[in-house]
Amino acid sequence: QQQQQQQQQATKAVASNFGFTSSFIAVFFFSLFFFSLFFFFSLFFSLLLLLFSAKCVSGGFSATSPSFTHQAKPPNKEAMEIEDAKEVEAAQTSPPEQERQGEMQKDASDAEELFDGKAFYLDPELSEVTIRLLTRYILGYGGDTTDCLESDTDIIVTGKTPIDPGLVAWKSTVPSAKVVTVDWVQISIASGKLCTDPACFR
């Protein structure tokens, strides 16, 4: 009986030791799990912070984060081609025409209605710059421009010598219309009255 009691005590001791060991192992692995989890998240946020700092130093976020960086717009190729064409046209303009254009660029804000009630037709074969300037000053001095020849057209501005046969034929149907040079417009503006110089008529 004494031996049996000793065996029971030994069994209880082993069971107690096993329970303590199991509890210790469980606590150890539980602590190891939470420590690993904490270490993983710390490493993850450290890497994010490092990437954020690197992007800020190198020039900001990409186009998906416009509030942190300004992405330069690509140059407008079409606008650049138009500017280049204008520069080429200006370079090819003859010196007399450049001088005439410079003389025409006067302030028309205080001008009288020099061309009041007159409809102008500008020859499409004139340079784009000349047509633009003529239109500006004709409108500024009270005149108007038309895109096609009409019965109420008063003045036709052309640079051709002699004038186009088709224009001659049209003028025969509207005798009151005058065919003049670009100089006629410039001289009229400079003198403040309609030019009467025969050299400016066609």
Side-chain angles (χ1 to χ4, degrees):
Q1 185 179 2
Q2 185 178 3
Q3 185 177 4
Q4 189 176 6
Q5 289 178 352
Q6 289 177 350
Q7 288 179 351
Q8 290 177 354
Q9 290 177 355
T11 303
K12 289 180 180 180
V14 170
S16 176
N17 289 335
F18 179 78
F20 174 79
T21 303
S22 299
S23 299
F24 176 80
I25 292 173
V27 170
F28 173 77
F29 280 105
F30 190 79
S31 301
L32 182 62
F33 171 77
F34 275 99
F35 177 80
S36 301
L37 194 63
F38 174 79
F39 177 78
F40 172 79
F41 278 106
S42 298
L43 183 62
F44 177 75
F45 284 110
S46 297
L47 289 174
L48 283 181
L49 183 61
L50 185 62
L51 289 174
F52 176 83
S53 302
K55 285 188 176 182
C56 288
V57 171
S58 64
F61 287 90
S62 65
T64 57
S65 301
S67 59
F68 286 89
T69 182
H70 174 72
Q71 300 292 329
K73 293 182 179 180
N76 190 325
K77 185 177 180 181
E78 183 178 353
M80 292 176 64
E81 290 176 352
I82 292 174
E83 290 299 324
D84 291 340
K86 288 182 178 179
E87 290 179 2
V88 170
E89 183 179 4
Q92 293 176 347
T93 304
S94 62
E97 186 175 354
Q98 289 179 350
E99 181 180 355
R100 180 170 60 250
Q101 291 171 4
E103 292 174 353
M104 289 178 61
Q105 290 176 348
K106 295 182 178 179
D107 185 6
S109 60
D110 300 327
E112 298 179 356
E113 300 299 308
L114 181 63
F115 302 134
D116 186 26
K118 297 191 179 299
F120 286 75
Y121 172 77
L122 305 179
D123 190 341
E125 295 196 12
L126 293 171
S127 70
E128 181 183 351
V129 174
T130 301
I131 291 176
R132 188 164 57 246
L133 285 173
L134 286 172
T135 301
R136 173 185 173 187
Y137 287 101
I138 288 170
L139 296 178
Y141 281 87
D144 196 7
T145 59
T146 62
D147 295 329
C148 58
L149 292 168
E150 299 174 352
S151 59
D152 59 349
T153 301
D154 299 298
I155 299 172
I156 302 163
V157 183
T158 183
K160 284 186 174 182
T161 304
I163 62 175
D164 188 90
L167 189 57
V168 174
W170 178 87
K171 188 179 180 308
S172 65
T173 64
V174 186
S176 61
K178 297 180 176 60
V179 182
V180 301
T181 64
V182 176
D183 289 332
W184 183 91
V185 179
Q186 182 262 321
I187 294 172
S188 297
I189 293 174
S191 62
K193 60 182 179 179
L194 298 181
C195 175
T196 57
D197 186 355
C200 295
F201 290 86
R202 292 288 182 265

